[in-house]
Amino acid sequence: MSKPIITVVGSFAVGLTIRTSHMPIFGETLLGSDFDMGPGGKGSNQAVGTARLGANSYFAGIIGRDKLGEIAADLYAREGVDTTYLRQSDRMATGVGFIILNQAGENGIILDMSANKLMDSAFVDEVEEQIARSDVVMSVLEIPVEAAVRAMELGQKHGVKTILNPAPAQPLPPAAFQHIDYLTPNDTELRILLGLSPDDATPTLELAEKLRGYGVGNLIVTMGDDGALLMTEAGVEKVPGVTVEVVDTTGAGDAFNSGLAVALAAGNPLADAVRYANCAGAIACTKLGVIPSLGMQAQVDQFYAEHYG
């Protein structure tokens, strides 16, 4: 069987992670531990995740011509991610993110996406030929909305499955939703997409119905240990999650989307694809750091068999 082809139009940033007892307040200095510096960016993570799960993974993005950009090149060479559509720029530095973890593995993140901000529709148009020959095209919102939406438009134009992971969440043009086959917000991002506060008390099911009414093909709301809520033309389904000992949740969303993309590209029904994605996401919570936590195909396959088989 040939490997699925997945193209990620997305972001790269170097992540600097440190663990503290609690999140600092302004003026407070804390002692931390477990410092780590390594490759990140949601799009990049998902490209690596899909490659590890057996796909032919292509990454389209922009990095700076600097030392941090070299980390990206080394990563993709090591992980087997195709970089035909990776561009370097002298105009802006490579993106960077600062991640603070508490003792429970919960995180707060500050991003400067820098060179990623240079992505626009014209850049994505240069990737159209690759998107057209893909099984799935994915994007995120760490790049300009214009670029992410264009990736969805081109995917739909060529009959390619489109997945948008709307993180970090921000309002989208109303017309954008009709180009998205699979939208994967968590319950906080769901609220932000609707212009609400992240902690709005309206039931998630009610909000999901409203968002899908905007024209999304399939809505998948991820809810951590509680699994995922699926809303499609066929109705509503709850897919239970998998409980693991949590070390670091930072890469769980990226792992989930990687698993979803690979399973859908392989032709699996949506509910089964979400179960597989749940397994990939759960495994990613068990190690510190994003790239070290992304599961390999055999590992996720075995985990799936044990919990859903």
Side-chain angles (χ1 to χ4, degrees):
M1 182 182 294
S2 60
K3 290 184 175 183
I5 298 173
I6 296 177
T7 299
V8 183
V9 178
S11 51
F12 174 83
V14 173
L16 295 92
T17 303
I18 193 165
R19 188 183 294 278
T20 67
S21 59
H22 60 276
M23 295 296 170
I25 62 174
F26 288 111
E28 181 181 17
T29 299
L30 295 176
L31 293 177
S33 62
D34 300 322
F35 174 77
D36 176 71
M37 182 178 76
K42 297 190 71 62
S44 176
N45 296 339
Q46 292 173 25
V48 171
T50 56
R52 287 190 178 182
L53 293 176
N56 284 324
S57 180
Y58 291 75
F59 179 65
I62 302 178
I63 58 176
R65 199 178 300 277
D66 50 33
K67 289 294 184 182
L68 294 184
E70 293 175 8
I71 294 175
D74 292 343
L75 171 70
Y76 302 139
R78 185 170 66 247
E79 298 289 344
V81 174
D82 190 288
T83 57
T84 301
Y85 301 94
L86 177 65
R87 303 287 183 257
Q88 285 187 296
S89 173
D90 296 313
R91 292 172 54 193
M92 300 184 78
T94 298
V96 65
F98 299 90
I99 304 159
I100 301 174
L101 297 172
N102 67 14
Q103 297 303 315
E106 300 166 327
N107 65 74
I109 304 174
I110 301 173
L111 300 173
D112 177 3
M113 296 314 297
S114 200
N116 295 283
K117 300 173 186 176
L118 300 173
M119 296 176 69
D120 57 15
S121 294
F123 169 82
V124 181
D125 285 343
E126 295 177 4
V127 191
E128 181 172 2
E129 184 178 345
Q130 171 57 35
I131 291 173
R133 59 174 172 256
S134 302
D135 296 295
V136 174
V137 58
M138 310 172 68
S139 197
V140 298
L141 296 183
E142 285 181 343
I143 62 175
V145 168
E146 172 190 349
V149 170
R150 185 59 177 160
M152 300 294 97
E153 291 174 346
L154 292 178
Q156 187 180 70
K157 172 184 175 181
H158 294 285
V160 175
K161 294 182 177 73
T162 62
I163 300 176
L164 179 66
N165 178 210
Q170 54 186 295
L172 293 173
F177 291 98
Q178 64 185 322
H179 303 295
I180 304 169
D181 294 326
Y182 303 91
L183 184 66
T184 61
N186 61 28
D187 48 7
T188 298
E189 293 158 353
L190 170 66
R191 285 158 171 78
I192 296 172
L193 287 170
L194 290 168
L196 303 172
S197 64
D199 58 353
D200 184 272
T202 307
T204 294
L205 178 59
E206 181 179 331
L207 295 178
E209 290 173 342
K210 181 177 180 180
L211 185 60
R212 189 168 181 274
Y214 288 6
V216 176
N218 302 276
L219 180 62
I220 304 157
V221 183
T222 59
M223 300 180 293
D225 284 350
D226 290 333
L229 176 71
L230 280 59
M231 187 167 289
T232 70
E233 283 187 356
V236 179
E237 182 176 354
K238 176 76 178 296
V239 176
V242 180
T243 301
V244 294
E245 185 175 343
V246 174
V247 175
D248 178 7
T249 62
T250 309
D254 296 331
F256 179 95
N257 281 275
S258 299
L260 179 70
V262 170
L264 288 173
N268 289 288
L270 179 56
D272 287 342
V274 171
R275 293 183 183 97
Y276 191 78
N278 279 343
C279 291
I283 287 171
C285 293
T286 63
K287 291 184 180 180
L288 185 66
V290 177
I291 297 300
S293 73
L294 295 173
M296 304 298 290
Q297 184 177 17
Q299 180 187 15
V300 179
D301 287 352
Q302 180 179 348
F303 197 82
Y304 178 89
E306 291 172 353
H307 289 84
Y308 293 113

